[in-house]
Amino acid sequence: MPLKLFSQNLILECGTDEAGRGCLAGPVTAAAVILPQSFKNKILTDSKLLTHKSRELLRPVIEQEALAFGIAHVFPEEIDEINILNASIKAMHLAIEKLKQQPQHILVDGNRFKPYKECSHECIIKGDSKFLSIAAASVLAKTERDRYMTDMHMQFPQYNWKKNKGYPTKEHRQAIKEFGITSHHRKSFKQLPEQLRLDI
């Protein structure tokens, strides 16, 4: 089924999504995108269903054709302070704030959100596979976060963040066991399973 462009007949309807919610290290990253009524793309869908190459090809297309887009990070220290759900929503709000045009309606991937200013909003489960603007936001959030973690890999190659992007892979957990954690790790997350407990 092709993705829908709009849920309402509003020109300034944005989609928003986040990436990195389940990671042990690095920020949670969100994007917001307003697409024109004329936008069409046969490849664009939920970023998790796309290859790395497809996401990187789509990113400049989205940035060039969108009426507006914004991308924002919330970093581990704040994630630990306000929890990952609140951090994810805050990242979405920050991304929306960066839009050069403010939307009238917000499409949110998932089932939780907090009102943003006077905008109406709609939470949509698996919205990134239903609406083009959410799918576009998912691509921008994912590619931006991947680039950030690849850059951080240069400073901390032992965790292999260029590959695992901070997710709790067996390799990442083994590196935590061997080298401990960094300031880029989320201390409120269980870094190791019980049999490999680490005091943090």
Side-chain angles (χ1 to χ4, degrees):
M1 183 182 294
L3 277 66
K4 300 175 188 175
L5 187 55
F6 297 115
S7 70
Q8 301 186 18
N9 189 25
L10 297 169
I11 294 172
L12 294 184
E13 178 180 88
C14 86
T16 185
D17 197 6
E18 51 73 29
R21 188 166 168 175
C23 293
L24 300 180
V28 60
T29 304
V33 179
I34 300 174
L35 294 173
Q37 288 184 326
S38 59
F39 183 85
K40 293 180 180 179
N41 190 288
K42 293 181 179 179
I43 302 172
L44 181 58
T45 187
D46 172 6
S47 66
K48 294 185 290 295
L49 303 178
L50 296 168
T51 63
H52 171 79
K53 182 178 179 181
S54 293
R55 289 193 296 267
E56 290 294 336
L57 288 171
L58 279 166
R59 178 168 178 158
V61 173
I62 295 165
E63 292 179 343
Q64 289 164 20
E65 296 191 24
L67 295 176
F69 69 90
I71 305 172
H73 299 295
V74 172
F75 292 95
E77 184 177 1
E78 189 166 9
I79 293 171
D80 291 337
E81 185 178 329
I82 66 175
N83 79 45
I84 187 60
L85 174 61
N86 287 324
S88 298
I89 294 171
K90 180 173 182 177
M92 291 182 193
H93 281 206
L94 291 171
I96 295 166
E97 278 181 14
K98 291 185 176 184
L99 295 171
K100 63 184 179 183
Q101 301 178 63
Q102 285 297 288
Q104 298 163 290
H105 186 64
I106 303 166
L107 298 176
V108 184
D109 182 57
N111 61 357
R112 301 287 292 277
F113 194 65
K114 294 178 182 177
Y116 176 80
K117 296 184 178 179
E118 301 302 314
C119 292
S120 59
H121 72 267
E122 188 177 347
C123 292
I124 303 159
I125 303 295
K126 296 185 178 177
D128 46 10
S129 61
K130 296 174 182 176
F131 287 94
L132 284 167
S133 61
I134 301 178
S138 76
V139 168
L140 295 191
K142 174 66 174 167
T143 53
E144 182 70 16
R145 190 181 184 283
D146 282 359
R147 291 177 185 186
Y148 179 89
M149 295 307 295
T150 300
D151 288 344
M152 294 307 301
H153 169 84
M154 303 300 290
Q155 297 181 44
F156 301 93
Q158 63 269 38
Y159 300 98
N160 203 12
W161 288 337
K162 70 177 180 181
K163 182 179 179 183
N164 62 55
K165 305 301 188 291
Y167 281 91
T169 62
K170 183 177 179 181
E171 177 188 40
H172 189 186
R173 289 193 188 275
Q174 186 60 39
I176 291 169
K177 180 184 177 186
E178 186 174 348
F179 302 105
I181 61 170
T182 70
S183 60
H184 301 284
H185 282 91
R186 303 172 186 178
K187 297 179 178 62
S188 56
F189 282 43
K190 184 177 285 187
Q191 299 287 325
L192 294 171
E194 292 298 324
Q195 66 269 27
L196 299 175
R197 177 169 286 175
L198 177 71
D199 291 329
I200 54 172

